[in-house]
Amino acid sequence: MKRIALCAVLSLTAAAASATNLFSTLLGKTEAETDARLDSLWAYFFTPADIRRYDAPGETSVYYEAPDGELAFVMDTGNNDVRTEGMSYGMMIAAQLNHRDVFDKLWGWSKKYMAYDAGTPWEGYFCWQVRPDGTKFGGSNASDGELYYVTALYVAAERWREPRYAQEADAILGKIMNKTGEGGVYNLFNRDNALITFVPDSIGRNFTDPSYMLPAFLDKWSRCAGADREFWSRAATAARKHLTASAHPRTGLWPDYSNYDGSAYRWPRAGYDTSVYMYDAIRCAMNAGMDYYLCGKDRDAQREVLRKLLRFFKDEGFRHARFALDGTPIGNDGYSCGMAGANAVGAFALADSDSEADRALAREYVQRLWDTVPPSGKYRYFEGMVYFLSMLHTAGRFGL
């Protein structure tokens, strides 16, 4: 209990630091208007939905409850499956907005259907891709899922004064950071460079993903984890450095995957070029902006990167969603609501700048997010979850 109490005090300090509501400070929105918008988004995405209509035009929810109502899952409606990414995002959103019933239902489903069995090489990890009936089929894990699971559990432990959640987080870390390579399974983080692996198997452990760099989360682990706190502090610093090292020096664009030195990595097994700015990379601005306002340990470098990125999209006219790192557009996909959200979180780095041009640019991005309509229909899941998390950050309603 002493550890939980200490973390709770530290969490209150972090939450106070996160209280800047950019919708208020930059756009003049009231706190009541902000809360009303977030309440409407909760109803939009998390009202229990009919699984038979998961891909229907106009459908908005990504939240589905089991027939008995005891467990629930967040579905990737574009692929009709359940992913640790979405489940852990859902848990984090529920914890931040104080919906313990939904948090428990998602966590219960994760443990029952996604956690690997005790005694197997993958024990402690969660299968990244599962069918709605609970059948595992994805194999291995997705490392950002464990990052969000563990952090959401620490947040929940403090918000609801429930030590069990922190104990479960500690148990996960104890298992996934003490692997020997047996069965081809390794630690979630590389012990030498303190960076997260793309996947802790014999191939994926050799590179990483910039959007998995969540230094603010790792700072929290360094305060609250039951063990390895010194390592988690080192990991937070390494993630912070990687977020700036992996961004293109002119455009600020991040690649989807990267080598440990920050250079872009093209994975031959992927179905697309992972060395460019596409799917995962949109989250990097959210991660950097979050770290900027919550931790403030690398502000000058983060401001420089985010200024380049936000100027790039403005100069490009917000017309495209995918780019070579030099800024050459790839395909015809338009600027997305997930990008609008993540980039608005990045605007934290400009909102307190001495430069009026920086502040004006931040205001433009925050206005763009406020005006963005959340997605509906079949492909609402990924964009919608990044958008919702970004709304929490920008509204000052996200605390660690």
Side-chain angles (χ1 to χ4, degrees), residues 335-389:
Y335 192 83
S336 68
C337 71
M339 294 167 68
N343 289 341
V345 183
F348 270 103
L350 304 186
D352 61 355
S353 169
D354 293 334
S355 163
E356 175 56 34
D358 281 351
R359 296 194 300 274
L361 188 59
R363 189 178 302 110
E364 179 174 354
Y365 275 89
V366 173
Q367 184 70 61
R368 182 174 287 273
L369 175 57
W370 184 265
D371 294 340
T372 294
V373 176
S376 64
K378 183 174 181 178
Y379 295 106
R380 64 192 180 275
Y381 154 75
F382 180 71
E383 297 289 343
M385 291 299 92
V386 174
Y387 165 86
F388 201 161
L389 285 168

Side-chain angles (χ1 to χ4, degrees), residues 30-289:
T30 66
E31 297 298 330
E33 286 178 296
T34 302
D35 286 335
R37 175 64 65 88
L38 294 176
D39 287 344
S40 71
L41 288 178
W42 178 262
Y44 187 94
F45 286 114
F46 283 89
T47 297
D50 184 345
I51 191 69
R52 294 168 298 183
R53 288 179 44 82
Y54 76 92
D55 61 349
E59 184 62 67
T60 67
S61 182
V62 295
Y63 176 75
Y64 300 84
E65 292 188 344
D68 61 6
E70 295 298 315
L71 301 177
F73 57 86
V74 169
M75 187 163 72
D76 178 344
T77 53
N79 293 289
N80 191 23
D81 60 31
V82 184
R83 305 185 177 203
T84 54
E85 164 195 80
M87 293 294 282
S88 57
Y89 283 7
M91 286 169 57
M92 181 63 81
I93 293 168
Q96 297 294 338
L97 293 178
N98 201 28
H99 291 280
R100 186 171 181 176
D101 57 335
V102 170
F103 182 96
D104 285 337
K105 289 177 181 181
L106 294 174
W107 182 225
W109 204 94
S110 297
K111 289 188 288 185
K112 182 173 182 178
Y113 296 114
M114 307 185 95
Y116 284 104
D117 292 338
T120 64
W122 283 98
E123 180 182 359
Y125 287 111
F126 295 78
C127 184
W128 75 280
Q129 191 177 32
V130 177
R131 294 190 175 91
D133 66 5
T135 305
K136 296 181 180 68
F137 74 100
S140 71
N141 80 321
S143 294
D144 58 332
E146 279 78 11
L147 271 174
Y148 265 87
Y149 273 136
V150 168
T151 311
L153 287 166
Y154 285 140
V155 169
E158 294 157 6
R159 171 174 283 280
W160 298 311
R161 298 186 180 277
E162 176 51 77
R164 171 176 59 85
Y165 295 127
Q167 291 162 4
E168 289 180 301
D170 286 343
I172 292 169
L173 291 181
K175 292 173 183 175
I176 65 179
M177 286 303 296
N178 287 285
K179 299 295 184 183
T180 63
E182 181 181 355
V185 182
Y186 297 83
N187 290 337
L188 183 69
F189 280 72
N190 182 306
R191 284 279 184 184
D192 294 329
N193 59 35
L195 288 170
I196 192 168
T197 61
F198 176 69
V199 174
D201 61 17
S202 58
I203 297 174
R205 72 188 185 104
N206 296 309
F207 61 98
T208 188
D209 182 322
S211 76
Y212 292 3
M213 302 298 147
L214 286 153
F217 285 14
L218 301 176
D219 258 9
K220 182 171 187 63
W221 296 10
S222 75
R223 301 190 302 267
C224 295
D228 255 357
R229 291 190 182 186
E230 183 177 347
F231 176 80
W232 295 127
S233 180
R234 186 161 69 92
T237 299
R240 206 165 273 129
K241 291 180 178 178
H242 195 90
L243 266 179
T244 55
S246 55
H248 189 274
R250 180 174 56 81
T251 64
L253 292 166
W254 283 276
D256 267 18
Y257 301 168
S258 59
N259 293 300
Y260 286 126
D261 65 2
S263 59
Y265 176 69
R266 182 167 187 168
W267 189 27
R269 292 177 58 180
Y272 74 103
D273 183 355
T274 61
S275 68
V276 303
Y277 177 96
M278 280 199 181
Y279 309 109
D280 287 11
I282 71 169
R283 301 177 292 193
C284 292
M286 178 174 68
N287 297 356

